[in-house]
Amino acid sequence: MELEELKAGWEVLNERLAKNEILNERIVKEMISKRTQSALDKLCRFELFSLGFCTLFTFLLLPLIWLHFGDYTMKPASFILIEILCTCSLVAGVVQLFMITKIRLDEMELCEIVRRSLKYKLFVKKNLLYGTIAGYITIIAYIAIQGFYQNAIMSIAMIAGIITGSIIIYQQYVYYNKNIHALEKGLEELKEFE
């Protein structure tokens, strides 16, 4: 009888252990999913903020500066050049926002999520690289167009803009890398559960 009771006791303990393992696995998977979704949400919010800022700058602030100061601050060719760069940035921002909002952790297969996040990551890196290069080329072209036409205040504003833009680009790069890395890490951990 004792042997049978021990076997029954072991079976009960094995069942409890199996249930606990399943429960623990589910809890860990939920925690990883929430952390991954949080990184995805941060990227989405940042894209929205960047898009909003770029839209305001392109269609409100820059035209208001042009209308208020007119030829005093910049030549028409310089204004058009900057507007073209801003519009290109706006289009890239819309594409990035579209790409990041199409990633749905709860509705898609993990393979598709990984594919889309990798596509987004590559687009962001290319956008930051080529956008930075285009920005500096635009600044050089702006200076060439303006020539000695600028006054001292605009020269100081241009230098401040270059420094501020470089800092923002670097911070954006760090922010994207941190959150993309968190997203990739979460996806890697979720792969272990499949």
Side-chain angles (χ1 to χ4, degrees), residues 106-137:
D106 53 344
E107 299 173 7
M108 302 169 81
E109 293 292 322
L110 190 58
C111 178
E112 181 65 16
I113 295 170
V114 170
R115 188 184 70 76
R116 288 185 183 201
S117 63
L118 180 61
K119 198 173 174 182
Y120 170 76
K121 176 184 175 181
L122 293 174
F123 186 83
V124 166
K125 286 193 178 216
K126 285 180 182 178
N127 187 27
L128 282 171
L129 175 67
Y130 297 133
T132 303
I133 291 169
Y136 287 124
I137 289 171

Coordinates of all heavy atoms in Angstrom, one line a residue, residues 106-137:
D106 N 0.1 41.2 -31.3 CA -0.9 40.3 -30.9 C -1.7 39.7 -32.1 O -2.5 38.8 -31.9 CB -1.9 41.0 -30.0 CG -2.5 42.3 -30.6 OD1 -1.9 42.8 -31.5 OD2 -3.5 42.8 -30.0
E107 N -1.5 40.2 -33.3 CA -2.2 39.7 -34.5 C -1.4 39.0 -35.6 O -2.0 38.5 -36.5 CB -2.9 40.9 -35.2 CG -3.9 41.7 -34.3 CD -4.4 42.9 -34.9 OE1 -4.1 43.2 -36.1 OE2 -5.1 43.7 -34.2
M108 N -0.1 39.0 -35.4 CA 0.7 38.5 -36.5 C 1.6 37.4 -36.0 O 1.8 37.2 -34.8 CB 1.7 39.6 -37.0 CG 0.9 40.8 -37.5 SD 2.1 42.2 -37.8 CE 2.7 41.7 -39.4
E109 N 2.1 36.6 -36.9 CA 3.0 35.5 -36.6 C 4.3 36.1 -36.3 O 4.7 37.2 -36.8 CB 3.2 34.6 -37.8 CG 1.9 33.8 -38.2 CD 1.6 32.7 -37.1 OE1 2.6 32.1 -36.6 OE2 0.5 32.5 -36.8
L110 N 5.1 35.5 -35.4 CA 6.4 36.0 -35.0 C 7.3 36.2 -36.2 O 8.0 37.3 -36.2 CB 7.0 35.1 -34.0 CG 8.2 35.6 -33.2 CD1 7.9 36.9 -32.5 CD2 8.7 34.6 -32.3
C111 N 7.3 35.3 -37.1 CA 8.2 35.5 -38.3 C 7.9 36.8 -39.0 O 8.8 37.5 -39.5 CB 8.0 34.2 -39.2 SG 9.0 34.3 -40.7
E112 N 6.6 37.1 -39.2 CA 6.2 38.3 -39.9 C 6.6 39.5 -39.1 O 7.0 40.6 -39.7 CB 4.7 38.3 -40.2 CG 4.2 39.5 -41.0 CD 4.7 39.6 -42.4 OE1 5.3 38.6 -42.9 OE2 4.6 40.7 -42.9
I113 N 6.5 39.5 -37.8 CA 6.8 40.6 -36.9 C 8.3 40.9 -37.1 O 8.7 42.0 -37.2 CB 6.4 40.3 -35.5 CG1 4.9 40.2 -35.3 CG2 7.0 41.4 -34.6 CD1 4.5 39.7 -34.0
V114 N 9.1 39.8 -37.0 CA 10.6 40.0 -37.1 C 10.9 40.6 -38.5 O 11.8 41.5 -38.6 CB 11.3 38.6 -36.9 CG1 12.8 38.7 -37.3 CG2 11.1 38.2 -35.5
R115 N 10.3 40.1 -39.5 CA 10.6 40.6 -40.9 C 10.2 42.1 -41.0 O 11.0 42.9 -41.5 CB 9.8 39.8 -41.9 CG 10.1 40.1 -43.4 CD 9.2 39.4 -44.4 NE 7.9 39.9 -44.4 CZ 7.5 41.0 -44.9 NH1 8.3 41.8 -45.5 NH2 6.2 41.4 -44.9
R116 N 9.1 42.5 -40.5 CA 8.7 43.9 -40.6 C 9.5 44.8 -39.7 O 9.8 45.9 -40.1 CB 7.2 44.0 -40.2 CG 6.3 43.5 -41.3 CD 4.9 43.8 -40.9 NE 4.0 43.2 -42.0 CZ 2.8 43.6 -42.2 NH1 2.2 44.5 -41.5 NH2 2.0 43.0 -43.1
S117 N 9.9 44.3 -38.5 CA 10.7 45.1 -37.7 C 12.1 45.3 -38.3 O 12.8 46.3 -38.1 CB 10.8 44.6 -36.2 OG 11.4 43.3 -36.2
L118 N 12.6 44.3 -38.9 CA 13.9 44.4 -39.6 C 13.9 45.3 -40.7 O 14.8 46.2 -40.9 CB 14.4 43.0 -40.1 CG 15.8 43.0 -40.8 CD1 16.9 43.4 -39.8 CD2 16.1 41.6 -41.3
K119 N 12.8 45.3 -41.5 CA 12.6 46.2 -42.6 C 12.5 47.7 -42.1 O 13.1 48.6 -42.7 CB 11.3 45.8 -43.3 CG 11.1 46.4 -44.7 CD 9.8 45.7 -45.3 CE 9.5 46.3 -46.6 NZ 8.3 45.8 -47.2
Y120 N 11.8 47.8 -41.0 CA 11.7 49.2 -40.4 C 13.1 49.6 -39.9 O 13.5 50.8 -40.1 CB 10.7 49.1 -39.2 CG 10.7 50.3 -38.3 CD1 10.1 51.5 -38.7 CD2 11.3 50.4 -37.1 CE1 10.1 52.6 -38.0 CE2 11.3 51.5 -36.3 CZ 10.7 52.6 -36.7 OH 10.7 53.7 -35.9
K121 N 13.8 48.8 -39.2 CA 15.2 49.1 -38.7 C 16.1 49.5 -39.8 O 16.8 50.6 -39.7 CB 15.7 47.9 -38.0 CG 17.2 48.1 -37.5 CD 17.7 46.8 -36.9 CE 19.1 46.9 -36.5 NZ 19.7 45.7 -35.9
L122 N 16.1 48.8 -40.9 CA 17.0 49.2 -42.0 C 16.5 50.5 -42.7 O 17.4 51.3 -43.0 CB 16.9 48.0 -43.1 CG 17.6 46.7 -42.7 CD1 17.4 45.7 -43.7 CD2 19.1 46.9 -42.4
F123 N 15.2 50.7 -42.8 CA 14.7 52.0 -43.4 C 15.1 53.2 -42.5 O 15.6 54.2 -43.0 CB 13.2 51.9 -43.6 CG 12.7 53.2 -44.3 CD1 12.7 53.2 -45.6 CD2 12.2 54.2 -43.5 CE1 12.3 54.4 -46.3 CE2 11.7 55.4 -44.2 CZ 11.8 55.4 -45.6
V124 N 15.0 53.0 -41.2 CA 15.4 54.1 -40.2 C 16.9 54.4 -40.3 O 17.3 55.5 -40.4 CB 15.0 53.7 -38.8 CG1 15.6 54.6 -37.8 CG2 13.5 53.7 -38.6
K125 N 17.7 53.3 -40.3 CA 19.1 53.6 -40.4 C 19.5 54.3 -41.7 O 20.3 55.2 -41.7 CB 19.9 52.3 -40.3 CG 19.9 51.8 -38.9 CD 20.9 50.7 -38.6 CE 20.8 50.3 -37.2 NZ 22.0 49.9 -36.6
K126 N 18.9 53.8 -42.8 CA 19.2 54.5 -44.1 C 18.7 55.9 -44.1 O 19.3 56.8 -44.6 CB 18.5 53.7 -45.3 CG 19.3 52.4 -45.6 CD 18.6 51.7 -46.8 CE 19.3 50.4 -47.1 NZ 18.6 49.7 -48.1
N127 N 17.5 56.1 -43.5 CA 16.9 57.5 -43.5 C 17.8 58.4 -42.7 O 18.0 59.5 -43.0 CB 15.5 57.4 -42.9 CG 14.8 58.8 -43.0 OD1 15.1 59.6 -43.8 ND2 13.9 59.0 -42.1
L128 N 18.3 57.9 -41.5 CA 19.2 58.8 -40.7 C 20.5 59.1 -41.4 O 20.9 60.2 -41.4 CB 19.5 58.1 -39.4 CG 18.3 58.1 -38.3 CD1 18.7 57.2 -37.1 CD2 18.1 59.5 -37.9
L129 N 21.0 58.1 -42.1 CA 22.3 58.3 -42.8 C 22.1 59.3 -44.0 O 22.7 60.3 -44.1 CB 22.9 57.0 -43.3 CG 24.1 57.1 -44.2 CD1 25.3 57.6 -43.4 CD2 24.4 55.8 -44.8
Y130 N 21.2 58.9 -44.9 CA 21.0 59.7 -46.1 C 20.3 61.1 -45.7 O 20.6 62.1 -46.4 CB 20.2 59.0 -47.1 CG 20.8 57.7 -47.6 CD1 20.2 56.5 -47.7 CD2 22.2 57.7 -48.0 CE1 20.8 55.4 -48.2 CE2 22.8 56.6 -48.4 CZ 22.1 55.4 -48.5 OH 22.8 54.3 -49.0
G131 N 19.5 61.1 -44.7 CA 18.9 62.3 -44.3 C 19.9 63.3 -43.7 O 19.8 64.5 -44.0
T132 N 20.8 62.8 -43.0 CA 21.9 63.6 -42.4 C 22.8 64.2 -43.6 O 23.1 65.4 -43.6 CB 22.7 62.8 -41.4 OG1 21.9 62.3 -40.4 CG2 23.8 63.7 -40.8
I133 N 23.1 63.3 -44.5 CA 24.0 63.8 -45.6 C 23.2 64.8 -46.4 O 23.8 65.8 -46.8 CB 24.4 62.5 -46.5 CG1 25.3 61.6 -45.7 CG2 25.0 63.0 -47.8 CD1 25.6 60.3 -46.4
A134 N 21.9 64.6 -46.7 CA 21.1 65.5 -47.5 C 21.0 66.8 -46.7 O 21.0 67.9 -47.3 CB 19.7 65.0 -47.8
G135 N 20.9 66.8 -45.4 CA 20.8 68.0 -44.6 C 22.0 68.8 -44.7 O 22.0 70.0 -44.8
Y136 N 23.2 68.2 -44.5 CA 24.5 68.9 -44.6 C 24.7 69.5 -46.0 O 25.2 70.6 -46.2 CB 25.6 68.1 -44.2 CG 25.6 67.9 -42.6 CD1 25.7 66.6 -42.1 CD2 25.6 69.0 -41.8 CE1 25.6 66.5 -40.7 CE2 25.6 68.8 -40.4 CZ 25.6 67.6 -39.9 OH 25.6 67.4 -38.5
I137 N 24.3 68.7 -47.1 CA 24.4 69.2 -48.4 C 23.5 70.4 -48.6 O 23.9 71.4 -49.3 CB 24.1 68.1 -49.5 CG1 25.2 67.1 -49.5 CG2 23.9 68.7 -50.9 CD1 24.9 65.8 -50.3

